[in-house]
């Protein structure tokens, strides 16, 4: 697969797909602009080469129709500030007007197209929509790692209609960090998995058991495993359908020699609320009708020992309901330990990166992925459709 620096783009029309799916608050103000900042190396390179930059992106899930609150205007405004030049979003992403605009671009100019997902053709990977986008460009650059696990018109379909396709610099960074963490890691490699989407993460966990030396499971995930070992976990989050699978993972782990760690104590409450009364108990003493919402101090100490020995750490999913103060200690304590460690540390997007940001440790983590789902699919060993499309294009 080619990257941007290997393609001649001087003076050419370059269509770049970015992941600008940023969180907006109720005033449509961007709450976290890291995905926009992460695109700057690619944007600056294209402009420095005097190419004509056509920006495409999506925001939210408008479902194939125009949703005013999901226009890309706030993103363009932030990008204007970051680049110190005026950038406006066009009213649409396809149509004769846009074609005219693109045909008349001057070197170093930018055309920023409106939310791709205002058209059904985007998520349906419709070939005529992909063709309409592809017609604008001499070169296609995919820098939207966060969307790479999706097979959409702007990241897969389009590659059939542009002569030259390549990955952008963010895509390169993401894939290189992934490789150094999971393909050729400095050992011991410690994997930490938490959060609540047990079904999404179990397959990734199965693969991690094959490559990691030590695996820590915390957060909501842990209770399905504890229950599979016969521990009474009260009303804690458990996916009953996955108990057998959890048992299989534990059996596999014990055969393979991988060290596997579950919480030994937890913070429990009767409800997931900031006013709830809490207790810290060993996992064997979870009270019926109470639920585990964070790892306890003994688990933090145990997990910290494991983290201390690591040379590579890969982490996805918080250790508890960190959005509520009473259940946030475990996640924050672990983040500080990971940040202080001497290991290569990689955080796999999603909620964990929000927690890292809140803990003020963003600068002390080696790499924070911009893609939650895409990162997990890579860990799971799946091929990402967008990457496969770029590879195919490079072979043409
Ligand atoms: P995920 O998207 O799978 O990374 O899950 C993140 C969510 O998991 C966060 O919003 C946490 O509040 C939630 N979470 C973490 N630990 C628990 C737990 N013990 N019980 C319920 N939810 C949890």
């Amino acid at each position: 697969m080619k990257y941007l620096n290997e393609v001649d783009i001087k003076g050419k029309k370059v269509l770049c797909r970015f992941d600008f799916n940023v969180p907006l608050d109720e005033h449509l103000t961007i709450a976290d602009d890291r995905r926009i900042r992460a695109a700057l190396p690619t944007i600056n390179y294209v402009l420095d080469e005097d190419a004509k930059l056509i920006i495409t992106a999506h925001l939210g899930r408008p479902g194939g129709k125009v949703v005013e609150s999901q226009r890309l205007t706030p993103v363009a405004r932030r990008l204007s500030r970051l680049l110190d030049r005026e950038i406006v979003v066009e009213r649409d992403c396809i149509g004769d007007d846009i074609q005219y605009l693109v045909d008349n671009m001057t070197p170093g100019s930018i055309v920023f197209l409106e939310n791709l997902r205002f058209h059904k053709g985007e998520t349906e990977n419709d070939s005529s929509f992909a063709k309409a986008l592809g017609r604008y460009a001499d070169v296609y650059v995919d820098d939207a790692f966060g969307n790479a696990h999706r097979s959409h018109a702007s990241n897969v379909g389009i590659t059939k209609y542009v002569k030259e396709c390549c990955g952008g610099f963010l895509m390169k960074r993401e894939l290189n960090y992934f490789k150094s963490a999971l393909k050729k890691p400095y050992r011991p490699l410690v994997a930490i998995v938490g959060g609540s989407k047990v079904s999404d993460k179990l397959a990734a966990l199965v693969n991690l058991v094959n490559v990691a030396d030590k695996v820590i499971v915390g957060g909501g995930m842990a209770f399905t495993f504890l229950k599979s070992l016969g521990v009474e976990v009260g009303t804690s989050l458990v996916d009953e359908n996955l108990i057998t699978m959890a048992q299989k993972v534990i059996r596999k782990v014990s055969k393979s020699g991988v060290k596997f760690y579950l919480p030994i104590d937890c913070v429990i409450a009767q409800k997931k609320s900031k006013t709830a009364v809490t207790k810290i108990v060993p996992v064997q003493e979870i009270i019926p009708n109470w639920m585990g919402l964070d790892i306890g101090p003994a688990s933090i100490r145990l997990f910290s020992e494991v983290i201390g020995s690591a040379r590579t750490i890969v982490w996805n999913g918080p250790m508890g309901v960190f959005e509520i103060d009473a259940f946030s200690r475990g996640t924050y304590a672990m983040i500080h330990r990971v940040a202080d460690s001497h290991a290569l540390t990689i955080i796999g997007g999603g909620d964990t990166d929000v927690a890292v940001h809140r803990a003020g440790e963003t600068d002390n983590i080696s790499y924070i992925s911009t893609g939650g789902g895409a990162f997990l699919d890579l860990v799971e060993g799946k091929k990402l459709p967008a990457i496969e499309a770029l590879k195919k294009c490079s072979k043409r």
Side-chain angles (χ1 to χ4, degrees), residues 194-198 201 218-221 223 237 272 292-294 316-323 351-352:
S196 58
K197 292 188 207 94
V198 188
K201 294 186 185 176
M221 290 278 296
F223 296 99
L237 184 89
K272 199 162 88 177
L293 294 167
D294 194 11
N316 184 293
M319 294 292 102
V321 182
F322 73 97
E323 298 90 339
D351 283 298
T352 326

Side-chain angles (χ1 to χ4, degrees), residues 177-193:
Y177 267 105
F178 174 79
K179 247 187 244 157
S180 48
L182 290 170
K183 296 278 179 211
K184 287 184 193 155
Y186 294 114
R187 293 187 181 277
L189 163 60
V190 174
I192 309 171
V193 186

Side-chain angles (χ1 to χ4, degrees), residues 95-113:
D96 293 343
D97 296 1
I98 308 284
Q99 188 69 56
Y100 178 81
L101 257 181
V102 169
D103 288 344
N104 290 288
M105 286 176 82
T106 51
S109 63
I110 301 176
V111 168
F112 193 132
L113 303 181

Side-chain angles (χ1 to χ4, degrees), residues 91-127:
R91 292 297 293 171
D92 204 344
C93 56
I94 50 169
D96 293 343
D97 296 1
I98 308 284
Q99 188 69 56
Y100 178 81
L101 257 181
V102 169
D103 288 344
N104 290 288
M105 286 176 82
T106 51
S109 63
I110 301 176
V111 168
F112 193 132
L113 303 181
E114 186 50 282
N115 195 341
L116 294 158
R117 291 197 187 170
F118 285 176
H119 292 266
K120 261 204 200 108
E122 163 63 356
T123 50
E124 290 172 357
N125 193 11
D126 174 69
S127 53

